[in-house]
């Protein structure tokens, strides 16, 4: 099929939007940590993107979209090095395959970078880079194959992953493959790392405006994240952007309302976290629920995740920047609510329980969410333990006290001079 220039132009714009999510995530996380570790926090995002991008071209795309081995992982050699994909006539519904591959590469990179929020202030940078590479290979690439590799996507006869083709769970843009996947891994690594020196004390963000700016950039980029998953500039992409917008608005309102009731005040970090929660929850459901359904979904996710971030105090794991409470819990909420709120009038064309579809879609969503959660948690834990036993995973108490920026990067986030 010839290249469709309209679709190609749309996806080029989406790739720019996705790339803006890289500094968006860096700023979002960087503003929430101590001034002594802000540069390191941002470096973790940029480092993860860099290493995953290289792995993606070498064999990650092939593992994700190559012909499946039993629905579990794609053929690692089929498209290694992007071979046989560079011809101008190699297209996916009019979209050059190379552009589709780049779009999906950014999904992979951002997913890995999300995990870093759980390990702020205390993980060696080298250990983080090794973890990011190994987790991408052993977890992200296979799980993305389960969820995103539909039969016949890249080649006419290619066989894809089990969640997409056998289970038929709905995940429009990555509630399972991205958010549940990253959240479960974050929990495992946080447990292996142990608590930070400041555990139990109020963790104060050093720069709330940076966090709000980062959240705004992520919100903007999320239109590309979700809308671009339609792979064409049309009605489906338009609907997805609308549901993404209103779910985020509803989650922000729900978060700050519960925050006000619970704590007596409304915070900037709370507003930013509420917005991200809405974006996370709508990601799998953006093509399945109506705009009103998106408002309901966002409000439920926002209200639940306010309390979910407090689970770390109750169970004693140090998830520094609430990756578990926002991405794991928010991803599960959004994935499961498809089973209740999906409407066949939307692009995914499936009815949930509240629209007469019974429990059929709900159990499929639950199996997909559970499988990804368990697999990612177990394998991430094994990787982290292996790193801990070999090169070491955590900085020393002295380095933690002095600040990871000066200890490992030899540069401070701000150079403050007095006259």
């Amino acid at each position: 099929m010839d290249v469709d220039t309209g679709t190609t132009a749309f996806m080029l714009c989406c790739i720019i939007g996705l790339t803006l999510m890289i500094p968006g995530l860096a700023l979002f996380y960087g503003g929430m940590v101590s001034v002594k570790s802000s540069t390191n926090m941002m470096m973790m995002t940029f480092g993860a993107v860099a290493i995953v991008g290289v792995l993606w071209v070498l064999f990650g795309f092939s593992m994700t979209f190559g012909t499946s081995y039993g629905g579990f992982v794609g053929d690692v050699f089929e498209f290694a090095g992007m071979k046989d994909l560079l011809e101008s006539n190699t297209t996916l519904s009019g979209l050059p395959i190379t552009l589709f591959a780049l779009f999906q590469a950014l999904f992979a990179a951002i997913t890995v970078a999300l995990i870093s929020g759980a390990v702020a202030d205390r993980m060696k940078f080298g250990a983080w880079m090794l973890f990011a590479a190994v987790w991408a290979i052993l977890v992200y690439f296979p799980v993305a194959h389960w969820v995103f590799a539909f039969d016949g996507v890249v080649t006419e006869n290619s066989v894809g992953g089990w969640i997409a083709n056998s289970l038929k769970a709905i995940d429009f843009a990555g509630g399972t493959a991205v958010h549940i996947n990253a959240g479960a891994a974050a929990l495992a690594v946080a447990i292996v790392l142990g608590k930070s020196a400041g555990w139990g004390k109020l963790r104060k963000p050093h720069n709330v405006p940076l966090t709000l700016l980062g959240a705004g950039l992520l919100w903007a980029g999320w239109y590309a994240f979700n809308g671009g998953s339609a792979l064409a500039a049309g009605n489906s992409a338009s609907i997805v952007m609308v549901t993404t917008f209103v779910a985020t608005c509803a989650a922000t309102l729900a978060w700050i309302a519960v925050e006000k009731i619970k704590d007596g005040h409304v915070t900037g970090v709370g507003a930013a976290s509420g917005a991200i929660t809405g974006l996370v929850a709508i990601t799998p459901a953006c093509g399945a629920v109506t705009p009103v359904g998106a408002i309901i979904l966002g409000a439920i996710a926002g209200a639940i995740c306010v309390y979910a971030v407090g689970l770390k105090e109750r169970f004693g794991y140090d998830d520094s920047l609430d990756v578990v409470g926002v991405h794991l819990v928010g991803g599960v909420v959004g994935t499961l609510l498809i089973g209740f709120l999906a409407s066949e009038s939307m692009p995914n064309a499936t009815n949930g329980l509240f629209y007469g579809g019974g429990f059929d879609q709900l159990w499929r969503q639950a199996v997909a969410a559970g499988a990804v959660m368990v697999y990612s948690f177990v394998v991430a834990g094994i990787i982290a333990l292996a790193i801990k036993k070999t090169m070491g995973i955590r900085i020393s108490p002295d380095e933690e006290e002095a600040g990871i920026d000066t200890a490992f990067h030899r540069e401070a986030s701000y150079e403050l001079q007095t006259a």
Side-chain angles (χ1 to χ4, degrees):
M1 183 176 181
D2 293 335
V3 170
D4 184 321
T5 54
T7 295
T8 301
F10 171 69
M11 292 305 295
L12 283 167
C13 292
C14 287
I15 285 167
I16 294 170
L18 277 174
T19 305
L20 285 174
M21 295 178 78
I22 298 169
L25 183 62
L27 290 168
F28 179 72
Y29 279 169
M32 283 199 286
V33 297
S34 162
V35 70
K36 297 186 296 183
S37 59
S38 185
T39 295
N40 173 260
M41 193 72 257
M42 294 184 176
M43 282 286 291
M44 285 179 142
T45 294
F46 280 85
V49 171
I51 199 164
V52 173
V54 171
L55 295 175
W56 184 259
V57 169
L58 293 178
F59 52 79
F61 178 78
S62 194
M63 287 181 68
T64 304
F65 291 101
T67 299
S68 186
Y69 291 122
F72 180 76
V73 69
D75 184 345
V76 69
F77 301 108
E78 187 173 2
F79 303 117
M82 305 290 285
K83 64 183 180 183
D84 303 327
L85 297 179
L86 304 180
E87 293 84 358
S88 61
N89 62 345
T90 306
T91 67
L92 170 61
S93 300
L95 175 69
I97 288 290
T98 47
L99 205 57
F100 171 73
L102 177 55
F103 180 73
Q104 287 292 335
L106 287 159
F107 270 57
I110 291 166
T111 302
V112 177
L114 288 174
I115 302 169
S116 65
V119 304
D121 304 322
R122 63 198 194 280
M123 187 173 186
K124 291 180 178 180
F125 186 72
W128 163 248
M129 293 293 284
L130 178 59
F131 176 86
V134 178
W135 187 84
I137 296 167
L138 298 183
V139 181
Y140 182 81
F141 298 158
V143 170
H145 179 76
W146 302 356
V147 176
F148 294 142
F150 288 89
D151 292 344
V153 168
V154 178
T155 62
E156 184 177 346
N157 299 317
S158 65
V159 178
W162 70 275
I163 287 179
N165 300 288
S166 299
L167 182 63
K168 299 187 184 302
I170 293 173
D171 188 349
F172 196 89
T176 53
V178 176
H179 299 293
I180 294 175
N181 203 8
L187 177 58
V189 182
I191 291 171
V192 172
L193 266 175
K195 302 179 182 69
S196 63
W199 172 257
K201 302 175 184 176
L202 179 63
R203 178 179 268 113
K204 295 182 179 180
H206 91 278
N207 195 323
V208 175
L210 276 189
T211 293
L212 285 164
L213 175 61
L217 285 172
L218 288 169
W219 191 336
W222 228 287
Y223 293 120
F225 201 92
N226 289 355
S229 293
L231 300 181
N235 189 53
S236 292
S238 302
I239 290 171
V240 162
M241 289 186 181
V242 170
T243 56
T244 298
F245 173 67
V246 293
T248 307
C249 293
T252 304
L253 292 173
W255 187 295
I256 62 177
V258 173
E259 189 177 52
K260 175 64 175 177
I261 295 168
K262 186 168 74 77
D263 301 326
H265 53 262
V266 174
T267 67
V269 171
S273 298
I276 300 303
T277 296
L279 293 164
V280 168
I282 196 60
T283 293
C286 55
V289 301
T290 66
V292 173
I295 292 173
I296 296 169
L297 182 148
I300 292 172
I304 288 175
C305 288
V306 178
Y307 291 99
V309 298
L311 293 173
K312 60 186 179 183
E313 281 84 18
R314 181 174 181 181
F315 293 104
Y317 60 88
D318 189 357
D319 172 23
S320 307
L321 305 184
D322 300 317
V323 183
V324 177
V326 172
H327 292 276
L328 176 57
V329 176
V332 169
V333 169
T335 299
L336 294 181
L337 284 178
I338 292 171
F340 294 95
L341 298 172
S343 169
E344 66 179 5
S345 65
M346 299 299 287
N348 284 123
T350 298
N351 280 331
L353 179 63
F354 295 162
Y355 287 80
F359 290 95
D360 183 67
Q361 195 60 47
L362 179 58
W363 75 261
R364 298 177 191 277
Q365 300 303 121
V367 171
V372 172
M373 189 188 317
V374 171
Y375 179 74
S376 181
F377 177 81
V378 171
V379 179
I382 292 170
I383 297 169
L385 283 170
I387 295 173
K388 181 178 181 180
K389 297 295 184 181
T390 52
M391 67 179 290
I393 197 169
R394 182 164 177 162
I395 62 176
S396 71
D398 289 342
E399 290 166 336
E400 191 170 351
E401 175 63 28
I404 197 168
D405 284 359
T406 55
F408 276 80
H409 303 295
R410 294 296 188 267
E411 55 186 359
S413 297
Y414 308 97
E415 290 294 340
L416 303 176
Q417 298 180 355
T418 56

